Amino acid sequence: MAGDRPRFDYSGAVYGSLLAASVVVGAGAGGPFPRVHLIVLLLSTAVVFWAAHVYAGLFGASLANEPLTWHEFRTVCRDERPLIEAALPPAAAVALSPLLGFGPQATSWFALAVALAGQVGWAVLGAVRAGAPRRLVVITAVVTVLLGAAIVAAKAGLSH
């Protein structure tokens, strides 16, 4: 169950970062966009996916014939929270982009870079904190970078 996951399980943050990167790519595919819209899109998408994960976790608990308690509900909500938290840095990057003089295109790339850095960072940190051998940490980093590269390729392809 979600509450039984070890504290070094950052899969929600990795997934949330990947989701945020995908949202940035999808939003930028239509051309220039208002920053506020991208921030709202990032945060609302994260909340919807969080709610879906909470529902799935609670549904799984009910399938196991366990009575659903308020404690279990709060535990599942808390355990899935990294999905939302992972959208905060890219949203902050979008909000701060005018201070850096970024236009819409640079803002999109900046937010994407922040999301992908989070994705790789959380994956590697999770592997290290789980005590994975160095070889597995490197494989984790490479696979996560490749997933990020696929998103960057999609963005590059959609931007032209």
Side-chain angles (χ1 to χ4, degrees):
M1 217 169 300
D4 298 334
R5 288 190 300 190
R7 285 298 213 205
F8 49 77
D9 181 356
Y10 297 118
S11 58
V14 173
Y15 180 78
S17 298
L18 185 61
L19 175 64
S22 299
V23 167
V24 170
V25 169
F33 52 89
R35 285 178 176 88
V36 172
H37 289 174
L38 181 54
I39 292 168
V40 170
L41 186 60
L42 279 163
L43 298 178
S44 63
T45 301
V47 168
V48 168
F49 273 75
W50 168 83
H53 279 247
V54 167
Y55 174 73
L58 295 174
F59 183 71
S62 68
L63 283 179
N65 294 323
E66 296 176 15
L68 180 60
T69 65
W70 181 246
H71 173 75
E72 178 67 19
F73 176 77
R74 285 192 333 260
T75 299
V76 172
C77 288
R78 182 195 67 231
D79 287 350
E80 296 299 337
R81 190 179 66 221
L83 230 159
I84 294 174
E85 293 170 344
L88 297 176
V94 173
L96 294 173
S97 66
L99 300 175
L100 300 170
F102 292 166
Q105 188 73 359
T107 295
S108 180
W109 282 106
F110 181 48
L112 179 59
V114 168
L116 295 178
Q119 175 188 335
V120 174
W122 286 119
V124 169
L125 181 62
V128 168
R129 294 228 21 230
R134 183 173 293 159
R135 179 174 173 262
L136 186 55
V137 172
V138 170
I139 290 170
T140 298
V142 169
V143 169
T144 309
V145 167
L146 289 173
L147 286 170
I151 293 173
V152 168
K155 175 154 180 52
L158 291 171
S159 296
H160 291 88

